[in-house]
Each structure stands twice: as C-alpha cells, then as structure tokens.
Amino acid sequence: MSGLPTYRWRLAPEGLATRRQLRAMGLRPGGQDVAAEVRRPRRRREPLVAYLYRIDLARPVRPMTPGRTAALAKAMRARRTCPVCQRDAGYCIPRSLGACVPCADSQAA
C-alpha cells in the first residue's frame, strides 16, 4: 500500500480531481504531487487506480502557440505518411502493419 489517502470509487472529497477532470475544467496539475488516489475494485483483477490532484493548486492549461501547433501537425503528418508508397493515408498508420492498408495487403499476398 502507498502512503497516499485512498478512497473508494466515486467517494473522493470535494477539491480533488483526476487529470481528465482538471483538463475538462481548463486546468493542469502544474507540477504538484499526487494528493490521493481512488480505487475501483474489479473481479479477479487488480483494482483500477486513478490519481487525484488538488484543484486549488492546479494551474491553467498553457495555450497552443504557433510553433507547438506546427510541430503537432508535422508529427501527425509523419504518422499518416506510408513509408512504402509515400502517400498520405488519411489516417494514422497502424504500427502493427507498418504501412497503409493497401500496401500491407499487397505485401502479404
């Protein structure tokens, strides 16, 4: 067990939120440590764990700058470009295939 306060699923006190909940509020943890955790029991498996952060210490989400927008667009373009035919597939190419679906199908045949 960890030294963090642990709460049952949906029973966390007010003032604590998960990363997703913070993001929905337009906030981010901002370097703070995890304040608590929520555990959801599951049958025959380990429980699901969600880490909670204090809302009062959270900071606003940083706005996207033109440089970050360009870098993200470049990274997504690289994920969509087929290494075999060099065309934009229009979707992120699955790593399991390593190429767009038509190229992967032609290589498998």
Side-chain angles (χ1 to χ4, degrees), residues 19-32:
R19 282 182 179 266
R20 284 189 179 188
Q21 291 169 336
L22 287 175
R23 187 63 179 205
M25 292 182 244
L27 301 171
R28 62 186 170 94
Q32 65 174 299

Side-chain angles (χ1 to χ4, degrees), residues 4 6 10 12 15 17 24 29 32 37 40 43 47 49 51-52 54 56 67 72 77 83-84 87 93 96 107:
L4 292 174
T6 303
R10 297 184 186 262
Q32 65 174 299
E37 64 184 18
R40 179 180 179 195
R43 294 182 189 202
V49 178
Y51 297 111
L52 300 172
R54 290 180 44 186
D56 59 339
L72 181 60
R77 191 170 38 257
V84 177
R87 286 188 285 169
I93 295 173
S96 60
Q107 289 175 353

